[in-house]
C-alpha cells in the first residue's frame, strides 16, 4: 500500500449530538450532507470526520488500561495507511467504490474537555482529525479503500480552517 491509499478499519455514527459515535456495518454518503443517519451531518464544511489509526495508536500507548474503541474520538471514518492530517485542504478522496469527498478542514477547536483528554492529558482529534464534504454519493464500510485522487492546485490552501 502506498501513501496515497488507506484501508477503512471502521465507520461510525451517532444518532444524537452529545453521544459517542459507534461502529456500524456500512454508511451511506450523501452529497452536500455527509453520512445519512449521523447527527453531525448537514450542509456545511464538516460533514464527515476522518482519523488515522496511527493517531489512535499513539494515544493508546499513553492509556494502556483504557481501550480506545472506534468512534472514541467522534470520528466517522477510521483509516489505516494514510496520515490524514498531512493531506492539504482541497485534496480529493475516493471513498470506497463510488463516493468522493474533498478535505475541508484539518483539526478543530474543542469546546469541552473530553474523557480521553482527562485520562491521557491529550486528545488527537483537535490537531490530527480531518473533515471532508461529500461531492459524489456512495456507500462505505470497513475493508473499503480510501485513495487520494486529486491534490489542490494551490498548496497554500493547506491551512486549518476553524
Amino acid at each position: 500500500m502506498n501513501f496515497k491509499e488507506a484501508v477503512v478499519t471502521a465507520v461510525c455514527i451517532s444518532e444524537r449530538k452529545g453521544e459517542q459515535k459507534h461502529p456500524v456495518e456500512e454508511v451511506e454518503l450523501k452529497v452536500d450532507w455527509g453520512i445519512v443517519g449521523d447527527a453531525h451531518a448537514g450542509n456545511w464544511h464538516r460533514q464527515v470526520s476522518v482519523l488515522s489509526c496511527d493517531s489512535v495508536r499513539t494515544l493508546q500507548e499513553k492509556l494502556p488500561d483504557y481501550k480506545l474503541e472506534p468512534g472514541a474520538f467522534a470520528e466517522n471514518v477510521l483509516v489505516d495507511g494514510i496520515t490524514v492530517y498531512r493531506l492539504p485542504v482541497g485534496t480529493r478522496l475516493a471513498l470506497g467504490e463510488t463516493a468522493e469527498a474533498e478535505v475541508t478542514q484539518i483539526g478543530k477547536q474543542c469546546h469541552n474537555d473530553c474523557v480521553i483528554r482527562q485520562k491521557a492529558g491529550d486528545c488527537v482529534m483537535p490537531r490530527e482529525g480531518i473533515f471532508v464534504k461529500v461531492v459524489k454519493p456512495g456507500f462505505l464500510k470497513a475493508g473499503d479503500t480510501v485513495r487520494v485522487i486529486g491534490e489542490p492546485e494551490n498548496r497554500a490552501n493547506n491551512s486549518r480552517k476553524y
Side-chain angles (χ1 to χ4, degrees):
M1 184 179 309
N2 63 42
F3 73 98
K4 294 193 181 238
E5 184 174 278
V7 173
V8 174
T9 61
V11 290
C12 305
I13 66 166
S14 58
E15 288 82 4
R16 288 184 283 281
K17 289 185 179 183
E19 292 182 356
Q20 183 171 326
K21 293 193 185 304
H22 58 88
V24 293
E25 188 173 318
E26 181 178 68
V27 294
E28 179 182 358
L29 298 160
K30 182 178 172 185
V31 173
D32 292 331
W33 186 256
I35 295 176
V36 174
D38 184 60
H40 297 91
N43 190 5
W44 67 319
H45 71 288
R46 289 183 9 197
Q47 295 172 0
V48 179
S49 57
V50 184
L51 187 63
S52 296
C53 288
D54 286 343
S55 296
V56 176
R57 282 190 281 267
T58 297
L59 202 52
Q60 184 67 71
E61 291 172 3
K62 295 180 181 181
L63 296 167
D65 298 327
Y66 185 80
K67 176 75 172 132
L68 294 171
E69 300 289 341
F73 294 95
E75 77 280 3
N76 292 118
V77 181
L78 190 59
V79 299
D80 204 4
I82 294 178
T83 305
V84 295
Y85 67 87
R86 292 189 177 149
L87 298 173
V89 169
T91 300
R92 295 284 294 244
L93 301 171
L95 305 174
E97 293 182 23
T98 60
E100 291 182 14
E102 181 179 316
V103 177
T104 57
Q105 182 173 314
I106 303 166
K108 71 178 186 102
Q109 289 179 320
C110 278
H111 301 290
N112 297 314
D113 203 22
C114 69
V115 172
I116 295 166
R117 185 181 303 278
Q118 291 170 6
K119 291 184 178 292
D122 190 17
C123 183
V124 293
M125 194 63 180
R127 66 180 178 276
E128 298 183 15
I130 68 168
F131 296 88
V132 301
K133 66 178 182 177
V134 179
V135 296
K136 188 176 174 189
F139 293 86
L140 190 66
K141 64 185 180 311
D144 284 347
T145 60
V146 173
R147 292 179 293 109
V148 173
I149 57 172
E151 295 184 8
E153 291 179 26
N154 180 0
R155 298 288 288 201
N157 276 342
N158 188 11
S159 61
R160 297 176 187 271
K161 289 189 168 182
Y162 51 76

